[in-house]
Structures are given as structure tokens and as C-alpha cells.
Amino acid sequence: MTMERSVAEKMGIKAKSKAILFNSDEEAVKNMKLPALDIFDKLETDFNYIHLFVKKQSEFTEHFPNLKNHLNPNGMLWVSWPKGGKLETDLNIKIIIKLGYDFGLVESTSLSINAIWSGLKFTFPKKGKTYNNSYGKLNNTTE
């Protein structure tokens, strides 16, 4: 008998990771079943796991660049947004991917967090790897 993996396990969140949850949705976070994390409430260090919850493109562009600056080089920045136009969002996966690429991160895993929220994992691009995504282009790949 195999146990169903939690959303947090599918997301690759490791116990004891340095983490920050930004604009988090209580119901979605409960649904993720997070392991024991070292959760901060201020951007005062580099994090292994950052999770940004946004409903509007303006929120994404306001917070994403600053959060990226606090992302550990091997860390992951998850962005969650309401799926299917719920909560009057102006976001969808294509827009999220494009914005992430605009700010120099690349997407990998996408999943459903609960009935309302989707999640998309961003990481730093790997040196020497070419990223071809029809929704986004990396601006400078020389980093």
C-alpha cells in the first residue's frame, strides 16, 4: 500500500529548510502539509524555499524581484495564484512563466495546491543550459 504524497513532498520542500511564505493563503498552506521548517517573517537572509501567493500581476512584479534576491542559489521560489480566474485574478500559468523569465528565473514543476490555488516552481537557470519556453525568454543568460 503506497501512501499518497503530500503537496509539500511533491513540491520538494525539505524539513528544516530556511523558508518564508509571502501573502500566504491559510487554507492553501494547511493543504500543503509542510514539514517542520525554519520559517522567517522578514527577508533577512537567503532562503531555500520561498513561496509567494499573488492574485494580480502588479503584486507579482512588486514582490518577485526582491524575493529572488533572497533566494539561495540552489533554492526554489514557488509562486501560487488562483486558478481558472478565481478571486478576480489577472494571472494564469502563461503570464506567471513569462514574468518569472522576465526576472531571470526558470520554471520547472507546476501543481495544484488546492481547489483554488496553483503553484509553479522557479529556480535559477543552470549555467550552459538552454531554456526554450514559448511563454518566456531569459533576458540575460550570462549570470
Side-chain angles (χ1 to χ4, degrees), residues 2 7 34-35 39 45 48 50 55 58 61 68 72 83 87 93 95 97-98 106 123-124 128 130-131 134 138 140:
T2 58
V7 174
L34 292 169
I39 295 183
T45 183
N48 312 95
I50 299 173
K55 295 179 190 135
S58 56
T61 54
K68 175 192 167 190
N72 179 306
K83 52 183 147 185
L87 306 181
I93 192 163
I95 293 167
I97 290 171
K98 181 197 178 305
V106 294
T123 56
F124 286 105
T130 305
Y131 293 89
S134 55
L138 284 174
N140 67 10

Side-chain angles (χ1 to χ4, degrees), residues 81-87 89 91 111-118:
W81 71 98
K83 52 183 147 185
K86 292 181 178 148
L87 306 181
T89 187
L91 294 166
L111 52 72
S112 172
I113 290 181
N114 66 11
I116 301 209
W117 295 91
S118 285

Side-chain angles (χ1 to χ4, degrees), residues 10-59:
K10 291 176 189 170
M11 292 170 71
I13 300 167
K14 307 275 184 262
K16 310 233 186 322
S17 291
K18 280 206 300 198
I20 190 163
L21 306 175
F22 215 80
N23 287 345
S24 60
D25 177 85
E26 205 176 313
E27 198 60 36
V29 171
K30 210 181 338 183
N31 200 244
M32 288 161 44
K33 297 183 171 52
L34 292 169
L37 297 170
D38 189 4
I39 295 183
F40 288 71
D41 56 8
K42 288 197 183 79
L43 288 170
E44 53 194 14
T45 183
D46 282 353
F47 297 96
N48 312 95
Y49 163 54
I50 299 173
H51 202 138
L52 171 63
F53 287 80
V54 289
K55 295 179 190 135
K56 300 285 182 204
Q57 290 183 44
S58 56
E59 289 177 291

